[in-house]
């Protein structure tokens, strides 16, 4: 198969190098490379490392070790690590290609996602390379604390929350296990907004991360691709074939910036490729010569807008033209790159689906499906049937949300004008699908219409994703079941084997070993350190749940972590929560379905209880929140205001403030989460059952020994299976009960009328806190003005939530029992490792093995 343009000489070389192997022979993975290890050893040498840092300081920053400040040192050290990774990557490239050519058991895995919430990289890379001590040695001489150096690095906040952080954890797991993987995303100039709280309100500020974050970006100007938008499109028949012409499209250049991804104890270095948009005709010389300076550069600006900023909404599509442009820009550049790499290595597209797995993370990159069709058919002359066979056997899709309002739909007129050729291909996919569906469900036009891609002048991206993928998965058992029973039920009936589950997981090295080194050392002491790479080993820690020495240590480690968090809160907010109070943490995006409001209502009732019983004997409680709201999400912003006003009133009321504290952590991010998770006693996972696809914060707190109070939602269900019902506090309706209760007509007012404690808390909203009244929230809970009153059923679950908290408080007082539970939670977090998730994906979906051992 030849591209209509010329074939490069490297294509030809590659063809000669192909030695297809017969299936079924041994394991394909290569041993870790000696070359990679040699590079690591060289950089681990303190003298060599220091010399490199000094060189960077003098040559680039014009300073030296003695005079450089912490920020300059962070840059120099990161730059040296990045250089080391570049050298390792070169070696790894040779190895992975040679394995790929020698076996059909490995594939190149492409993980395409609009978001990668990477956080900070230096500490993680040093840990993975085993070079933390080398750097610590150097810093000691200079009298600098390692954490101070790490905190010079701005978070790469190129994501909103769960979806983006999952993608980042997966890159770590893919690399640690030696899979040949590349992530594709956008190089947003501004990541997720920085949140400030001003008089209780969330105010958004731009996140200008590049000045400090750029050290990890490797620009590859030599590897740019061109993406076309708009243009005049005409289809016509010639020699019995449908052809088309596209004139005057607007072209944009996609410039790649690569971030090297390290894994633990491996010489594999994968990459995350971020595309940055640049105008191809960067300057209008004519306009310039005519003295029209502003217009001369105007085009440039419009192209560069594409990767200017991350859309800050999760679970609510914006439906904006620019967002669609971002999606196609990322997809087109990535697909062109993937096809080019395939041809370089194999010289043919025939084995594409056998050597390539493309994963679309939620529907945002779904245009991969028509874009690959376009490239195969238009650039390589492939026929429809063959192209469709290859594409639909290459692409797989993960769904991350069942919220109806979050399912993406694009206006057909917009898609057609922005991407006329792609739209035409989508029409053809739709036409063929309808014929097939009609055959499966004869006579049922309603069903066919409902399942098809085009309808109501919209392109339904979820339908396109299911139709164009060979596997579709949800992210927890419950969620995957809901996909089969409800969201994608008809597709499931038509093709049950297409649907599967892969429960989410988290990077243990980041979320336990690095963020809670004391707990990790205790586990090492008890069961050895194998669990760091083989998560299933962590289970062995459960054997120590009644060991008094271990329980006391667990208690002390938690308290130390709480002191550390308290000091951080003091530094940033000016008051220090009591480390002997219970730290009850709810940290996640602000969303109605996650029910921070339910938590708030209970805090209000606690507040009132203490006011009424000033002498009450209770363990002090500290409620800690971290949450960003989408800037246009009215309800969510009001809940943030409520939490902050509540905090202000409670923390400043001497009658309660020694018993109750409320902390709203500003600007919740990956790096604040790393400080927060190890200090949590209680993990609040209280979404309305059936709404939270999985949750991953629940796993992060669990592995750090926090006890969950939660509903039977998302991965909480599996957490309960893992630890047993006696080591978790479950309350509230099940997903089925929610469904039934909503169908039979939920009446929140009746619930309110019959529970005096709840009534008092809700009524208190009208008086408000710190001078701000919240009768709008009371209205939302009781009056069916917009949709139904209390749509996420906070009132319905309130009583049982309070009951569960009472049980929990009693358990907390029995310190041995509590620490027993804590050890059980850490140990059985074993199954929530991203390494395990990735193994599941590789086995069930991608059908690929690692290229390195
Ligand atoms: C188009 C607007 C939009 C943007 C982002 C819609 C949906 C999203 C994401 C898919 C929302 C998201 O992050 N979902 C979360 O994914 C996590 C990782 O699987 C899960 O743990 C969370 O439960 C889920 O809410």
């Amino acid at each position: 198969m030849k591209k209509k343009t010329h074939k490069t000489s490297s294509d030809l070389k590659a063809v000669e190098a192909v030695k297809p192997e017969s299936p079924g022979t041994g394991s394909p993975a290569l041993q870790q490379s000696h070359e990679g290890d040699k590079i690591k050893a060289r950089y681990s040498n303190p003298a060599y490392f220091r010399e490199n840092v000094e060189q960077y300081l003098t040559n680039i920053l014009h300073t030296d070790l003695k005079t450089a400040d912490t920020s300059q040192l962070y840059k120099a050290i990161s730059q040296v690590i990045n250089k080391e990774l570049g050298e390792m990557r070169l070696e790894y490239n040779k190895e992975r290609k040679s394995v790929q050519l020698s076996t059909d058991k490995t594939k190149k895995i492409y993980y395409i996602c609009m978001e990668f919430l990477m956080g900070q990289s230096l500490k993680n890379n040093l840990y993975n390379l085993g070079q933390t001590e080398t750097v610590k040695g150097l810093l000691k001489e200079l009298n600098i604390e390692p954490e101070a150096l790490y905190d010079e690095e701005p978070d790469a906040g190129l994501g909103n929350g769960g979806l983006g952080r999952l993608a980042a954890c997966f890159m770590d797991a893919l690399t640690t296990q030696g899979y040949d993987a590349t992530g594709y995303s956008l190089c947003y100039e501004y990541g997720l907004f920085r949140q400030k709280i001003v008089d209780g309100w969330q105010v958004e500020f731009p996140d200008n991360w590049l000045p400090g974050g750029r050290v990890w970006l490797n620009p590859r100007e030599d590897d740019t691709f061109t993406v076309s938008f708009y243009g005049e499109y005409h289809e016509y028949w010639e020699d019995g074939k449908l052809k088309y012409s596209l004139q005057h499209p607007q072209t944009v250049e996609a410039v790649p910036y690569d971030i090297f991804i390290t894994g633990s104890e491996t010489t594999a270095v994968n990459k995350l490729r971020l595309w940055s948009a640049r105008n191809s005709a960067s300057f209008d010389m004519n306009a310039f010569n005519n003295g029209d300076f502003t217009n001369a550069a105007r085009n440039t600006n419009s192209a560069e807008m594409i990767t200017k900023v991350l859309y800050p909404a999760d679970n609510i599509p914006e439906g904006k033209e620019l967002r669609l442009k971002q999606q196609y820009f990322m997809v087109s550049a990535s697909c062109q790159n993937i096809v080019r790499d395939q041809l370089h290595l194999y010289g043919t597209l025939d084995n594409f689906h056998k050597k390539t797995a493309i994963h679309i993370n939620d529907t945002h990159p779904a245009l991969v499906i028509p874009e690959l069709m376009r490239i195969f058919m238009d650039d390589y002359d492939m026929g429809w049937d063959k192209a469709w066979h290859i594409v639909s056997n290459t692409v797989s899709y993960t769904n991350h949300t069942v919220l109806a309002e979050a399912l993406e739909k694009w206006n057909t007129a917009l898609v057609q004008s922005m991407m006329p050729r792609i739209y035409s291909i989508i029409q053809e996919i739709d036409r063929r699908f309808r014929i097939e569906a009609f055959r499966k469900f004869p006579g049922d036009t309603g069903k066919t219409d409902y399942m098809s891609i085009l309808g109501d002048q919209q392109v339904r991206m979820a339908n396109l994703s299911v139709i164009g993928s060979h596997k579709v998965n949800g992210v927890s058992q419950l969620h995957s079941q809901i996909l089969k029973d409800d969201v994608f039920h008809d597709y499931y009936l038509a093709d049950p084997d297409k649907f599967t589950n892969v429960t989410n997981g988290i990077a243990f090295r980041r979320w336990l070993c690095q963020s809670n080194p004391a707990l990790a050392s205790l586990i090492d002491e008890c069961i050895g350190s194998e669990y760091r790479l083989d998560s299933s080993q962590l289970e062995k820690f459960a054997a120590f749940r009644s060991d008094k020495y271990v329980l006391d240590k667990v208690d002390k480690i938690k308290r130390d972590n709480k002191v550390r968090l308290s000091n951080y809160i003091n530094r940033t907010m000016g008051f220090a929560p009591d480390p002997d109070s219970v730290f009850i943490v709810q940290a996640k995006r602000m969303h109605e379905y996650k029910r921070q409001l339910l938590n708030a209502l209970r805090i209000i009732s606690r507040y009132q209880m203490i006011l009424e019983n000033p002498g009450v004997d209770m363990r002090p409680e500290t409620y800690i929140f971290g949450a960003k709201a989408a800037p246009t999400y009215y309800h969510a912003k009001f809940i943030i205001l409520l939490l902050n006003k509540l905090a202000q009133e409670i923390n400043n009321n001497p009658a309660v403030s020694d018993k109750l504290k409320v902390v709203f952590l500003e600007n919740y991010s990956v790096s604040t989460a790393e400080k927060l998770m190890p200090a949590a006693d209680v993990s609040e996972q209280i979404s309305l059952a059936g709404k939270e696809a999985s949750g991953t914060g629940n796993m992060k707190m669990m592995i750090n020994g926090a006890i969950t109070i939660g509903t039977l939602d998302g991965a909480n269900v599996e957490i309960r299976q893992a630890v047993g019902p006696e080591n978790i506090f479950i309350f509230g309706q099940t997903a089925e009960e929610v469904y039934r209760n909503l169908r039979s007509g939920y009446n929140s007012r009746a619930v309110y009328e019959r529970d005096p404690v709840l009534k008092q808390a809700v009524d208190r909203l009208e008086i408000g806190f710190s001078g701000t009244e919240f009768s709008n929230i009371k209205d939302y809970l009781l009056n069916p003005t917009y949709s139904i009153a209390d749509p996420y059923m906070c009132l319905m679950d309130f009583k049982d939530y309070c009951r569960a908290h009472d049980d929990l408080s009693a358990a907390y007082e029995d310190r041995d029992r509590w620490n027993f539970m804590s050890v059980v939670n850490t140990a059985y977090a074993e199954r929530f490792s991203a390494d395990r998730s990735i193994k599941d994906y590789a086995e069930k979906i991608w059908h690929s093995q690692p290229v390195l051992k």
Side-chain angles (χ1 to χ4, degrees):
M1 184 95 15
K2 286 186 182 127
K3 184 167 181 169
K4 284 175 188 162
T5 54
H6 67 281
K7 194 165 206 170
T8 65
S9 60
S10 49
D11 286 340
L12 296 171
K13 256 182 262 145
V15 182
E16 286 158 22
V18 183
K19 276 188 260 121
E21 190 213 55
S22 58
T25 47
S27 164
L30 210 76
Q31 292 289 343
Q32 296 284 331
S33 88
H34 295 300
E35 292 310 315
D37 281 328
K38 277 190 214 155
I39 297 168
K40 273 202 219 175
R42 197 163 60 240
Y43 280 86
S44 300
N45 176 328
Y48 185 78
F49 191 84
R50 183 197 180 102
E51 191 184 306
N52 270 273
V53 172
E54 278 177 328
Q55 263 173 24
Y56 185 84
L57 286 173
T58 17
N59 297 344
I60 310 290
L61 300 179
H62 311 298
T63 176
D64 59 23
L65 267 181
K66 283 217 179 68
T67 35
D69 61 23
T70 335
S71 139
Q72 289 170 317
L73 271 171
Y74 150 71
K75 280 200 178 127
I77 289 173
S78 302
Q79 200 63 57
V80 172
I81 297 294
N82 186 56
K83 180 164 154 255
E84 175 182 358
L85 295 179
E87 291 172 28
M88 287 173 68
R89 169 86 186 163
L90 187 67
E91 294 305 323
Y92 173 65
N93 265 338
K94 294 179 206 157
E95 292 158 14
R96 68 179 181 87
K97 284 184 186 167
S98 114
V99 174
Q100 291 289 18
L101 286 168
S102 69
T103 175
D104 57 5
K105 289 183 173 175
T106 62
K107 283 182 186 168
K108 177 82 194 247
I109 298 158
Y110 295 99
Y111 199 82
I112 310 192
C113 184
M114 290 288 279
E115 308 188 2
F116 280 83
L117 195 45
M118 302 296 282
Q120 297 170 329
S121 288
L122 178 58
K123 185 178 177 180
N124 185 53
N125 284 339
L126 290 175
Y127 176 94
N128 281 343
L129 292 165
Q131 283 163 11
T132 310
E133 292 309 314
T134 313
V135 168
K136 277 190 181 164
L138 180 65
L139 292 179
K140 196 158 185 202
E141 275 178 53
L142 304 169
N143 229 340
I144 292 173
E145 283 298 318
E147 290 298 328
L149 184 86
Y150 302 148
D151 275 340
E152 285 294 336
E153 177 172 356
D155 275 30
L158 310 184
N160 274 284
L163 169 97
R165 183 56 230 174
L166 186 78
C169 284
F170 280 1
M171 288 311 293
D172 174 283
L174 282 160
T175 311
T176 298
Q177 295 180 83
Y179 289 97
D180 185 3
T182 291
Y184 280 116
S185 193
L186 293 178
C187 192
Y188 303 106
E189 199 177 322
Y190 297 93
L192 184 63
F193 64 85
R194 271 189 312 117
Q195 177 196 54
K196 284 217 185 292
I197 301 298
V198 180
D199 194 22
W201 289 95
Q202 164 175 297
V203 181
E204 301 90 23
F205 288 85
D207 166 54
N208 191 10
W209 70 289
L210 279 172
R214 187 174 277 128
V215 281
W216 301 108
L217 293 180
N218 298 282
R220 290 293 306 272
E221 302 261 348
D222 58 310
D223 218 6
T224 61
F225 292 87
T226 303
V227 179
S228 299
F229 295 97
Y230 307 102
E232 293 138 33
Y233 180 78
H234 298 288
E235 288 182 347
Y236 58 92
W237 289 89
E238 196 180 272
D239 304 333
K241 278 188 164 177
L242 184 64
K243 303 218 163 152
Y244 76 91
S245 71
L246 179 66
Q247 279 168 338
H248 313 299
Q250 290 178 20
T251 57
V252 178
E253 258 182 64
V255 185
Y257 288 78
D258 293 346
I259 295 181
F260 295 130
I261 307 290
T262 52
S264 181
E265 293 189 29
T266 176
T267 52
V269 177
N270 283 315
K271 75 181 190 201
L272 168 60
R273 173 157 278 200
L274 305 175
W275 300 105
S276 176
R278 192 170 66 186
N279 203 295
S280 33
S282 61
F283 214 78
D284 182 343
M285 266 327 264
N286 255 341
F288 185 77
N289 291 337
N290 291 332
D292 190 356
F293 302 122
T294 355
N295 273 331
R298 202 166 60 188
N299 256 350
T300 320
N301 290 338
S302 75
E304 285 168 4
M305 273 308 291
I306 298 176
T307 46
K308 189 60 85 184
V309 61
L310 167 82
Y311 272 90
D314 79 338
N315 280 313
I316 322 167
E318 286 260 2
K320 295 263 164 60
E321 186 164 351
L322 184 59
R323 166 83 177 183
L324 184 62
K325 238 187 217 173
Q326 288 188 335
Q327 295 185 350
Y328 184 61
F329 175 74
M330 172 182 77
V331 158
S332 179
S334 306
C335 286
Q336 292 180 53
N337 196 162
I338 293 168
V339 171
R340 202 269 323 260
D341 284 355
Q342 155 86 18
L343 287 171
H344 272 183
L345 201 56
Y346 305 105
T348 175
L349 293 175
D350 291 348
N351 63 346
F352 190 86
H353 52 302
K354 300 205 171 101
K355 295 303 299 181
T356 306
I358 301 182
H359 201 81
I360 57 175
N361 208 23
D362 216 275
T363 58
H364 322 144
L367 293 170
V368 157
I369 295 158
E371 174 67 2
L372 272 180
M373 289 296 287
R374 180 191 71 78
I375 296 174
F376 287 171
M377 295 190 302
D378 297 356
D379 295 349
Y380 295 95
D381 242 353
M382 208 186 273
W384 180 281
D385 290 332
K386 182 173 175 184
W388 182 251
H389 177 78
I390 294 180
V391 171
S392 56
N393 281 290
T394 301
V395 178
S396 49
Y397 154 56
T398 302
N399 170 284
H400 293 266
T401 179
V402 298
L403 297 187
E405 67 272 25
L407 292 184
E408 278 191 301
K409 295 177 180 112
W410 290 105
N411 180 281
T412 45
L414 176 63
V415 176
Q416 186 167 24
S417 84
M418 190 186 290
M419 300 161 285
R421 176 62 180 150
I422 291 298
Y423 183 69
S424 163
I425 292 171
I426 293 174
Q427 280 181 313
E428 183 61 14
I429 299 174
D430 186 62
R431 191 184 69 80
R432 289 172 182 244
F433 173 77
R434 280 170 185 270
I435 295 170
E436 206 186 301
F438 203 69
R439 226 178 270 144
K440 284 235 161 82
F441 303 104
D444 198 343
T445 38
K447 196 165 263 186
T448 314
D449 281 345
Y450 179 77
M451 292 173 79
S452 61
I453 302 167
L454 299 172
D456 305 326
Q457 271 108 56
Q458 287 178 319
V459 183
R460 304 163 186 153
M461 303 300 268
N463 295 8
L464 172 62
S465 304
V466 175
I467 292 166
S469 300
H470 64 99
K471 284 276 177 197
V472 176
N473 75 289
V475 290
S476 70
Q477 286 169 8
L478 175 67
H479 170 58
S480 297
Q481 196 58 46
I482 293 174
L483 293 183
K484 292 197 283 189
D485 292 349
D486 184 3
V487 186
F488 297 135
H489 185 61
D490 294 329
Y491 299 98
Y492 171 68
L493 292 180
D495 189 356
D497 290 342
K498 197 182 250 196
F499 293 83
T500 187
N501 170 247
V502 180
T503 299
N504 282 168
I506 56 168
F508 278 17
R509 270 95 39 197
R510 181 180 286 258
W511 295 104
L512 171 65
C513 306
Q514 293 159 40
S515 68
N516 198 345
L519 182 58
S521 304
L522 175 64
I523 301 170
D524 290 346
E525 207 183 298
C526 295
I527 63 168
S529 60
E530 289 78 19
Y531 72 92
R532 292 175 182 235
L533 287 174
D534 172 5
S535 51
S536 67
Q537 300 286 322
L538 188 55
E539 205 181 318
K540 292 185 182 160
F541 188 48
F544 295 82
R545 64 188 157 209
S546 298
D547 182 318
K548 185 69 177 145
Y549 166 82
V550 172
L551 296 184
D552 289 346
K553 275 232 158 176
V554 162
D555 195 80
K556 178 166 184 329
I557 290 167
K558 183 62 78 181
R559 193 173 186 288
D560 291 348
N561 291 336
K562 286 163 76 177
V563 169
R564 214 166 292 128
L565 179 69
S566 177
N567 291 338
Y568 170 77
I569 293 173
N570 198 16
R571 276 203 308 280
T572 50
M573 304 180 65
F575 72 99
D578 174 7
D580 290 316
S581 63
V582 200
F583 279 19
I584 302 166
V585 178
Q586 187 172 17
K588 46 185 80 250
R589 282 299 284 254
M590 179 60 67
H591 208 294
E592 287 162 90
Y593 83 81
K594 294 177 189 279
R595 300 202 295 192
Q596 283 92 348
L597 178 57
L598 173 59
N599 194 343
L601 285 172
R602 189 178 155 276
I603 296 172
I604 296 170
S605 77
R606 296 296 282 165
Y607 177 41
Q608 285 171 320
M609 183 276 291
I610 299 167
L611 288 176
E612 285 161 20
N613 309 279
V616 62
D617 179 24
M618 63 176 273
R619 160 94 50 182
E621 294 162 0
T622 301
Y623 293 87
I624 304 174
F625 292 91
K628 289 182 181 178
T632 53
Y633 192 169
Y634 171 88
H635 278 300
K637 285 193 141 173
F638 253 95
I639 308 296
I640 290 183
L641 181 68
L642 171 65
L643 292 174
N644 280 292
K645 290 291 166 181
L646 195 56
Q648 208 177 321
E649 175 155 333
I650 289 176
N651 300 347
N652 294 315
N653 184 342
V656 296
S657 71
D658 60 334
K659 299 200 174 63
L660 209 56
K661 281 262 169 6
V662 179
V663 179
F664 189 95
L665 284 178
E666 221 173 42
N667 199 37
Y668 180 59
S669 59
V670 175
S671 51
T672 38
E674 285 165 8
K675 297 183 171 72
L676 182 58
M677 299 297 164
D681 290 312
V682 178
S683 160
E684 293 269 351
Q685 307 300 337
I686 61 178
S687 51
L688 178 65
K691 298 292 180 198
E692 187 69 272
S694 159
T696 42
N698 45 3
M699 302 168 184
K700 289 164 198 163
M701 284 196 255
M702 177 192 193
I703 202 173
N704 281 286
I707 311 303
T708 303
I709 180 163
T711 48
L712 283 177
D713 200 13
N716 299 353
V717 175
E718 287 153 80
I719 294 180
R720 187 177 75 152
Q721 282 165 12
V723 299
E726 63 286 6
N727 296 308
I728 186 169
F729 295 88
I730 295 292
F731 71 92
Q733 308 158 87
T734 62
E736 274 169 22
E737 285 163 355
V738 168
Y739 182 75
R740 267 207 310 274
N741 290 336
L742 282 175
R743 259 205 343 188
S744 64
Y746 168 52
N747 181 350
S748 63
R749 189 172 284 277
V751 181
Y752 157 88
E753 295 292 356
R754 69 169 175 255
D755 179 349
V757 178
L758 172 63
K759 185 167 188 303
Q760 200 189 13
V762 173
D763 289 344
R764 186 65 169 74
L765 290 167
E766 248 167 355
I767 301 167
F769 306 93
S770 284
T772 305
E773 56 97 17
F774 292 95
S775 48
N776 57 340
I777 297 182
K778 182 176 170 179
D779 268 353
Y780 162 86
L781 290 170
L782 296 177
N783 294 327
T785 351
Y786 308 104
S787 54
I788 62 164
D790 188 21
Y792 295 94
M793 304 179 104
C794 292
L795 304 194
M796 186 74 179
D797 282 342
F798 181 80
K799 205 181 178 79
D800 203 29
Y801 179 49
C802 294
R803 190 270 313 150
H805 254 294
D806 291 344
D807 293 352
L808 185 147
S809 302
Y812 191 84
E813 290 315 307
D814 182 348
R815 300 307 301 148
D816 281 351
R817 174 173 172 214
W818 186 268
N819 291 322
F820 170 105
M821 290 167 69
S822 178
V823 169
V824 167
N825 270 271
T826 300
Y828 292 113
E830 147 270 329
R831 71 189 67 182
F832 300 111
S833 137
D835 294 344
R836 191 272 310 143
S837 298
I838 285 301
K839 264 190 225 124
D840 283 356
Y841 275 101
E843 268 167 34
K844 292 195 208 170
I845 299 179
W846 303 325
H847 307 295
S848 177
Q849 292 184 11
V851 292
L852 273 195
K853 253 193 217 145

